Amino acid sequence: MGKSQWRHVVKEKTHKERGQVEGRKHLGFLEKKKDYQKRSASYKAKQKELKKLREQAALRNPDEYYREMVELEKEKQSKYTKEQLEEFKSQDFNYMLYKQKAEKTKIEKLKETIQAFDGIPINKHTVFVNSEKELKEFDPVEHFQTVPEAVNRTFNRPKKEQLERGEIFISDVGKRGKKVEKEREKKYKELLQRMDRETTISGIVERVELEKKLGSSEKKVMVKKATGQAAAVYKWERVRKR
């Protein structure tokens, strides 16, 4: 057997490349030469393609006709009919009306909550008397059998007997904790934000309603130009209806 044939029989030594050392494992995989060559070739190919495109863009004639012009013009045209666009507008208008109503409801609820924080009674307790003399001599503390600190309460008003037994304790109404004050400021901030939002939505609703009216063939004259949030004001000619 020749010498050249023995090399297929004898097992050659496998040369292994060094891996990432333990102290540098946080840096990730250790790049080998074959990995660098692949990455370098990809980078150079991309740079070559970019250079070619830059040259084409610099030498391009803006007046030259190309086929994509016609395709772009077709894409610019609307995909929907006039009736479909009108339906979309009406859906948007109904949604804005819904949001306007929802914001007004939330604003009213927030105002009631803030009134409760400020100590303004929302509910009232009316007591009826038989004569003017009874009205002058009327004492709410004696009538409700409570203490002066709890007279202004419209709910959970304890009686003296309950207080003497130690069933209910009344905290001073004038002393508000930091938590209550913080919650009150939060509600005020939310109220201002919702009021601004409601004003913006109302302006959009006015503009949409105005656009609908302007679409008619009736004669009109602009009285006041549109501002930041308010729509323009028009005056229509009086027409006698049959």
Side-chain angles (χ1 to χ4, degrees):
M1 188 180 286
K3 191 176 180 181
S4 60
Q5 293 173 335
W6 278 105
R7 63 188 176 88
H8 298 293
V9 178
V10 179
K11 188 178 179 181
E12 294 182 354
K13 184 179 178 182
T14 306
H15 296 277
K16 296 180 181 179
E17 292 193 35
R18 181 173 67 87
Q20 187 68 280
V21 293
E22 192 69 28
R24 294 174 60 84
K25 283 225 173 146
H26 64 280
L27 299 172
F29 175 74
L30 180 64
E31 189 181 46
K32 310 298 188 298
K33 187 175 180 180
K34 58 181 180 181
D35 301 320
Y36 163 74
Q37 287 173 340
K38 194 185 290 184
R39 183 167 58 83
S40 178
S42 174
Y43 174 77
K44 286 177 180 176
K46 287 174 185 176
Q47 289 299 317
K48 189 177 180 181
E49 189 66 27
L50 284 171
K51 186 180 178 182
K52 184 181 175 183
L53 290 170
R54 287 193 191 99
E55 286 177 358
Q56 287 178 357
L59 299 172
R60 177 179 169 275
N61 183 6
D63 300 326
E64 185 181 356
Y65 172 80
Y66 58 100
R67 189 167 53 85
E68 283 77 6
M69 285 180 176
V70 183
E71 301 297 328
L72 286 170
E73 194 64 33
K74 286 180 182 177
E75 286 179 8
K76 284 180 183 178
Q77 294 175 4
S78 180
K79 297 178 183 178
Y80 304 103
T81 61
K82 190 177 180 180
E83 290 78 13
Q84 286 175 325
L85 290 171
E86 289 295 329
E87 187 180 350
F88 294 154
K89 279 185 181 180
S90 65
Q91 288 175 357
D92 292 341
F93 180 67
N94 292 333
Y95 175 73
M96 294 309 294
L97 284 175
Y98 161 75
K99 291 297 291 180
Q100 186 185 23
K101 188 177 178 182
E103 287 297 330
K104 283 181 178 178
T105 308
K106 287 174 182 176
I107 285 168
E108 290 301 320
K109 285 184 179 178
L110 279 169
K111 282 181 179 178
E112 289 179 5
T113 308
I114 289 167
Q115 280 181 343
F117 276 123
D118 290 342
I120 302 169
I122 300 165
N123 303 321
K124 293 181 180 179
H125 192 148
T126 307
V127 179
F128 296 92
V129 292
N130 296 322
S131 62
E132 290 287 336
K133 186 180 178 182
E134 287 185 20
L135 179 63
K136 289 178 181 178
E137 294 175 355
F138 179 75
D139 185 9
V141 176
E142 188 179 343
H143 177 79
F144 294 117
Q145 295 179 3
T146 184
V147 291
E149 289 84 359
V151 169
N152 293 326
R153 286 195 177 188
T154 54
F155 64 95
N156 193 20
R157 187 188 292 118
K159 293 187 176 182
K160 286 181 180 179
E161 298 172 1
Q162 293 174 314
L163 292 169
E164 286 171 2
R165 290 197 298 266
E167 293 179 5
I168 300 172
F169 299 92
I170 298 178
S171 60
D172 187 9
V173 180
K175 292 180 180 178
R176 292 194 178 108
K178 289 183 179 179
K179 191 176 180 182
V180 177
E181 285 294 327
K182 194 174 182 181
E183 188 68 23
R184 181 171 168 272
E185 288 177 8
K186 186 180 176 183
K187 294 291 179 185
Y188 263 119
K189 197 173 182 180
E190 187 183 350
L191 177 64
L192 291 172
Q193 287 174 351
R194 289 200 179 277
M195 287 175 75
D196 289 340
R197 198 179 304 162
E198 195 269 331
T199 307
T200 307
I201 293 170
S202 298
I204 294 168
V205 170
E206 285 178 7
R207 284 193 184 91
V208 175
E209 286 179 340
L210 183 63
E211 282 178 11
K212 284 184 178 180
K213 290 178 181 177
L214 290 173
S216 62
S217 57
E218 296 176 358
K219 292 182 180 179
K220 59 261 181 187
V221 180
M222 183 187 284
V223 180
K224 191 178 179 182
K225 291 183 179 181
T227 57
Q229 292 181 342
V233 180
Y234 285 83
K235 188 177 181 181
W236 272 262
E237 186 180 354
R238 289 186 179 182
V239 180
R240 184 180 176 184
K241 303 291 182 183
R242 291 184 181 180

